[in-house]
Amino acid sequence: MVEETYENDHSTGCCARLRHEFASEDPYDLDEPSGENVSCDVQKAFAPRGKSTLLVRIVLVLYSLSIVFLQLKYYIDRKNFLYFFFYLTHWTLLTNVAYLSSALYMTWLLLSSDSTSNSRRPTPDAIKKAMKTTWTLYAIAAPAGLSVIVLYWTLDYNPAKSTIDFRNVSIHGGVALCVLLDGAFISSVPVRASHLRFYFYYFFSYMVFNICHDYSGIGDGDWKGEDPDDPAEDSLYVVLSWTTNFRLAAAVASFQFFIMIPLTFFACWWLALLQRRGVVVTADVGSTAHEGTTMLLENNHSI
């Protein structure tokens, strides 16, 4: 096997790369359009630098979990626990935690794959499943986190009701930035244009839930400072109050789908491309992308 590593390869133009990625039938394709039999290195893309990456990811997971617990306590103290799960911010927060946890597990698997003990070494199937999970979660969590940052601080933040403190900043920025730090700088998760579908399905699912919630009359809980006579206050987000201002809600939803989703997703795609680390040139199709793992690639270098 002949193997070479290319750092930050930009030999393929953006348009050609987009065509290649949208045309790919497999969203988990490791092939790069840079040349024949060129594919991403598994370990460099998902868990470089071994034990140091493991330690950093443990810190990120603990930080993100602490923010979830702080926010849950905030809702429990005000007897609004159930409503915690109704907000897009919290859907995204939990998705961010899921990605960071999956990336930590992926790091542990790849470190274990170097073990000399067969009993401790993970199976290729276990690595494939962990990689697909981590890859999918990043394609959702990274752009969704950016979207929450923009939407909250521009449309939803109300200084009369909310304070700028550690908890609030972490929920609406801190954890999301940790995801970007992990996926684009600590590792180099290769965001593919075809992953846009995952992000779209995520926001579409929430929008369906939001509409159903607004027409159900369930409300958003009992919060200090809300006007009980204002029906818009019962909506999860004032700008998405379908029952009181349908046109505004439809405009905000359209803005999200047709502007925010493409902008935030392709910002993450571009960032991943800038930080794209080594890819592997193999002389024999079907060889391993990284000898340190036991995962064998299929004939098209996909997983």
Side-chain angles (χ1 to χ4, degrees):
M1 181 182 71
V2 178
E3 188 172 286
E4 274 184 77
T5 299
Y6 292 83
E7 298 292 337
N8 297 326
D9 177 58
H10 299 291
S11 59
T12 304
C14 286
C15 291
R17 180 176 290 275
L18 285 171
R19 285 196 300 270
H20 171 84
E21 293 178 1
F22 274 125
S24 176
E25 296 180 358
D26 186 357
Y28 306 104
D29 189 2
L30 286 168
D31 280 349
E32 289 288 310
S34 308
E36 186 177 1
N37 298 338
V38 181
S39 62
C40 288
D41 182 289
V42 173
Q43 191 146 5
K44 288 183 177 180
F46 291 91
R49 294 182 290 279
K51 292 182 179 179
S52 62
T53 300
L54 184 70
L55 292 174
V56 172
R57 282 179 166 169
I58 288 174
V59 172
L60 294 179
V61 168
L62 290 176
Y63 164 67
S64 61
L65 284 174
S66 71
I67 299 306
V68 172
F69 291 140
L70 278 176
Q71 187 68 346
L72 277 171
K73 184 179 183 303
Y74 181 83
Y75 272 68
I76 291 171
D77 289 347
R78 289 155 182 79
K79 297 180 174 56
N80 288 320
F81 170 73
L82 179 64
Y83 297 97
F84 172 88
F85 301 97
F86 290 1
Y87 289 88
L88 176 63
T89 297
H90 298 150
W91 281 34
T92 302
L93 176 63
L94 294 175
T95 305
N96 288 339
V97 173
Y99 163 72
L100 292 171
S101 301
S102 182
L104 175 60
Y105 177 61
M106 183 74 189
T107 307
W108 178 80
L109 281 180
L110 291 176
L111 284 174
S112 300
S113 69
D114 293 330
S115 173
T116 56
S117 172
N118 289 332
S119 61
R120 295 181 56 189
R121 188 177 300 167
T123 64
D125 188 55
I127 295 177
K128 290 176 185 179
K129 288 180 179 178
M131 185 183 302
K132 287 182 178 182
T133 300
T134 304
W135 211 344
T136 303
L137 286 170
Y138 183 75
I140 298 171
L146 281 180
S147 183
V148 165
I149 292 173
V150 174
L151 293 175
Y152 177 76
W153 295 107
T154 59
L155 296 178
D156 193 51
Y157 173 69
N158 184 346
K161 297 180 180 180
S162 304
T163 58
I164 299 179
D165 54 20
F166 174 75
R167 178 187 59 82
N168 198 23
V169 171
S170 294
I171 292 168
H172 301 102
V175 176
L177 293 178
C178 285
V179 168
L180 287 174
L181 172 67
D182 181 274
F185 297 99
I186 294 174
S187 58
S188 186
V189 179
V191 179
R192 304 299 195 198
S194 57
H195 294 166
L196 179 61
R197 74 186 77 168
F198 302 143
Y199 184 32
F200 179 85
Y201 295 155
Y202 172 78
F203 265 104
F204 180 79
S205 298
Y206 181 78
M207 204 55 65
V208 170
F209 170 81
N210 183 272
I211 293 172
C212 291
H213 168 274
D214 211 53
Y215 282 99
S216 71
I218 294 174
D220 66 339
D222 186 16
W223 298 100
K224 182 180 178 181
E226 284 193 343
D227 183 357
D229 297 324
D230 185 357
E233 294 280 14
D234 288 333
S235 299
L236 296 174
Y237 298 98
V238 174
V239 295
L240 288 176
S241 183
W242 298 89
T243 54
T244 61
N245 196 336
F246 184 88
R247 287 187 177 181
L248 175 62
V252 171
S254 299
F255 174 78
Q256 175 63 32
F257 278 110
F258 298 110
I259 297 179
M260 284 301 296
I261 285 180
L263 280 179
T264 53
F265 179 83
F266 283 106
C268 294
W269 177 85
W270 177 75
L271 184 61
L273 185 60
L274 286 181
Q275 298 298 326
R276 188 68 47 85
R277 294 187 177 87
V279 294
V280 181
V281 178
T282 58
D284 301 316
V285 176
S287 57
T288 58
H290 189 276
E291 294 180 359
T293 71
T294 58
M295 186 183 69
L296 297 177
L297 302 181
E298 298 172 357
N299 286 340
N300 64 352
H301 286 198
S302 67
I303 57 170

